[in-house]
Amino acid sequence: MTYEDLLIKSDVEGLIVKEKAIKGNDGRIKGKRIAIRKDLNTTAEKSCVLAEELGHHYTSSGNILSQSDTMNRKQEYRARLYGYNLKVGLMGIVRAYENGCRNIYEMAEFLECTEEYLQEALSAYHRKYGVCYELDNYIIFFEPHLAVLRKFAV
């Protein structure tokens, strides 16, 4: 999803998104208000932050700023995974492959996210699914490196 798509999704959910000068984090959610740090350089950066904040909206409860608490860390992980699925997703990996993307830079550009965010998403998928994951007519390999294989019917 693009930044614009995420803004629309937020609006549909009744969330108010503002770009503001905030310290300490790139984004924050409180109730129905999401703040995105306004001095982020690109819309790709902003969309990655907004995707995670939407993840917090859907998966978190209460104040989880203290990451020394195990439950807070679990909620943070769920919110990040939700954001990765919004911005990247397994089908996003397949779509990037089908559109000729052959490296992380090209995939990040196609998915309108940062390379760092994409790497984090791929690592999370690797932890969740293991060496590979089969999706429709594709196999997505996470080891030894990212690869997408299209299966052909015999």
Side-chain angles (χ1 to χ4, degrees):
M1 293 184 112
T2 66
Y3 187 52
E4 190 68 31
D5 293 335
L6 293 170
L7 287 171
I8 292 167
K9 181 175 182 60
S10 301
D11 188 52
V12 168
E13 290 293 321
L15 301 170
I16 299 165
V17 179
K18 299 264 183 182
E19 293 182 20
K20 301 177 77 169
I22 56 176
K23 295 181 182 176
N25 297 342
D26 290 339
R28 185 169 279 155
I29 184 168
K30 185 172 184 182
K32 295 279 189 179
R33 296 176 172 272
I34 297 176
I36 306 292
R37 197 176 67 173
K38 73 176 179 179
D39 63 346
L40 292 174
N41 294 324
T42 65
T43 56
E45 288 175 299
K46 291 175 186 177
S47 70
C48 294
V49 172
L50 182 52
E52 183 176 330
E53 296 309 321
L54 284 169
H56 283 295
H57 172 70
Y58 291 112
T59 67
S60 304
S61 63
N63 181 341
I64 66 165
L65 291 175
S66 172
Q67 290 297 293
S68 60
D69 182 311
T70 303
M71 291 308 293
N72 290 355
R73 286 194 305 274
K74 287 180 180 180
Q75 286 190 66
E76 182 68 30
Y77 176 75
R78 278 194 304 271
R80 285 190 180 178
L81 192 56
Y82 189 96
Y84 296 149
N85 288 334
L86 276 178
K87 281 298 299 168
V88 178
L90 295 172
M91 276 311 299
I93 296 168
V94 169
R95 281 188 1 263
Y97 166 78
E98 287 292 334
N99 280 278
C101 300
R102 295 298 181 250
N103 58 49
I104 294 298
Y105 171 80
E106 291 174 353
M107 285 181 69
E109 189 84 12
F110 176 80
L111 296 168
E112 296 184 40
C113 66
T114 65
E115 290 178 63
E116 179 184 26
Y117 190 84
L118 178 57
Q119 288 284 16
E120 290 169 4
L122 294 172
S123 292
Y125 293 147
H126 183 212
R127 283 190 304 276
K128 182 174 181 177
Y129 299 115
V131 174
C132 64
Y133 185 80
E134 192 169 329
L135 178 68
D136 297 332
N137 291 329
Y138 297 90
I139 302 173
I140 302 168
F141 290 91
F142 300 104
E143 283 183 23
H145 51 79
L146 181 65
V148 177
L149 175 68
R150 184 171 172 208
K151 299 186 324 184
F152 291 97
V154 259

